[in-house]
Amino acid sequence: MEIQRIISLVKETKEIITNREMASRVKEKGVADYVTQVDVAVQDFLKKELYILAPDIRFLGEETGLQQMTADSYWILDPVDGTTNLVHDYQHSVVSLALCRQKEIVLGIIYDPFHEELFYALKGEGCFLNGKPIHVSSALNLSETIIGVGTARRELAKENFARFLTVYENAQDIRRLGSAALELAYTACGRQGGYFEVYLNPWDYAAGMLLVQEAGGKVTDWDGRQLDPSKGGQVAGTNGHLHEELLKLL
């Protein structure tokens, strides 16, 4: 399968994502959990085009929900990771697409149409930003870098913010972009040393996990165990050097 063809399909979503009229058509799925017409349109477009490209590959997308995947190969799509950002025109929203084969992510693409940044990785072939190789930060300790944080599970807000304070006290600073996929992409290209969140679904982290790994970093749950891309859970992604230091604080 030609990755450049898949990249071209993903980049065709720019006109949809940057359509402010569509972004203003919002439904609330839960507390501070939104879906816009953009999310649905991007998913419908990519699901259709990917089926034409590879009709034997199944599909798992955010707007279809988490389900048991028994197929050997399936796409994992978040049509808009950072929907709340999109609603407010915050311009930190991305398309995240991964291909899972035999329980392993073998392709990952994260596209930021607002800054024209296309991150992609193929298993065993490295990680790239707009066609140029990228690598994780060389920081050896938290004190040498910034760390991204995520605020999933509002019912755990007090516990989460206590963790954020602990990490903040040990790092140069913390950041919150509002998009898990973008946090992992920024970790892959060395803009930050790592990122963690108490709960992510597969479509939030699948593509970004491969980016970080192929850029030389490490992604696990908070106990250091390998992630199952068919399930949600805790996620920590780092440049590898400071992984154990971060996990001890979580």
Side-chain angles (χ1 to χ4, degrees):
M1 189 180 303
E2 176 57 51
I3 188 170
Q4 291 304 323
R5 174 61 181 145
I6 303 170
I7 287 173
S8 294
L9 286 176
V10 171
K11 293 185 78 171
E12 284 183 43
T13 63
K14 179 174 182 175
E15 288 189 10
I16 303 174
I17 296 173
T18 56
N19 186 316
R20 289 307 302 157
E21 181 181 352
M22 292 177 68
S24 67
R25 298 175 185 173
V26 183
K27 291 183 180 179
E28 190 168 357
K29 296 191 291 185
V31 178
D33 186 10
Y34 306 101
V35 59
T36 71
Q37 190 176 16
V38 172
D39 298 74
V40 176
V42 169
Q43 178 154 306
D44 287 349
F45 169 75
L46 286 176
K47 185 176 182 179
K48 175 185 175 183
E49 294 298 325
L50 290 170
Y51 180 78
I52 293 171
L53 189 65
D56 58 321
I57 298 179
R58 298 284 300 279
F59 184 87
L60 176 64
E62 178 175 14
E63 304 316 323
T64 56
L66 195 59
Q67 54 191 292
Q68 184 67 37
M69 299 303 293
T70 57
D72 283 343
S73 298
Y74 54 94
W75 300 106
I76 304 175
L77 173 70
D78 193 337
V80 180
D81 189 51
T83 298
T84 303
N85 286 348
L86 186 72
V87 170
H88 296 282
D89 198 21
Y90 200 67
Q91 301 198 353
H92 282 85
S93 304
V94 299
V95 181
S96 178
L97 177 67
L99 177 60
C100 183
R101 281 188 177 146
Q102 297 180 339
K103 298 184 178 181
E104 184 177 54
I105 304 301
V106 297
L107 178 154
I109 298 172
I110 294 176
Y111 175 50
D112 177 353
F114 297 100
H115 302 94
E116 272 306 321
E117 291 193 324
L118 192 293
F119 300 83
Y120 72 92
L122 287 169
K123 183 71 176 179
E125 297 187 25
C127 187
F128 304 85
L129 168 55
N130 292 344
K132 297 181 179 180
I134 55 175
H135 305 282
V136 293
S137 163
S138 60
L140 297 178
N141 304 289
L142 286 173
S143 60
E144 300 173 9
T145 188
I146 57 177
I147 298 295
V149 303
T151 54
R153 295 287 169 90
R154 292 175 71 90
E155 69 273 17
L156 300 177
K158 289 184 179 180
E159 296 173 34
N160 277 333
F161 277 82
R163 291 189 187 97
F164 300 162
L165 176 59
T166 299
V167 173
Y168 172 75
E169 289 174 337
N170 286 271
Q172 280 188 353
D173 209 337
I174 59 174
R175 295 287 185 271
R176 181 177 183 273
L177 297 174
S179 164
L182 199 56
E183 296 275 12
L184 289 168
Y186 280 16
T187 300
C189 70
R191 292 175 185 167
Q192 56 192 35
Y195 159 73
F196 67 94
E197 191 148 359
V198 69
Y199 183 87
L200 294 175
N201 282 303
W203 47 79
D204 299 314
Y205 72 79
M209 175 173 67
L210 183 63
L211 293 182
V212 172
Q213 292 169 339
E214 287 297 313
K218 189 173 183 178
V219 182
T220 68
D221 69 10
W222 290 6
D223 293 317
R225 296 174 299 203
Q226 183 176 337
L227 298 175
D228 180 345
S230 68
K231 299 178 180 179
Q234 300 170 343
V235 174
T238 73
N239 65 358
H241 301 302
L242 50 82
H243 203 79
E244 295 305 316
E245 183 184 2
L246 178 61
L247 292 187
K248 286 179 182 178
L249 298 179
L250 303 181

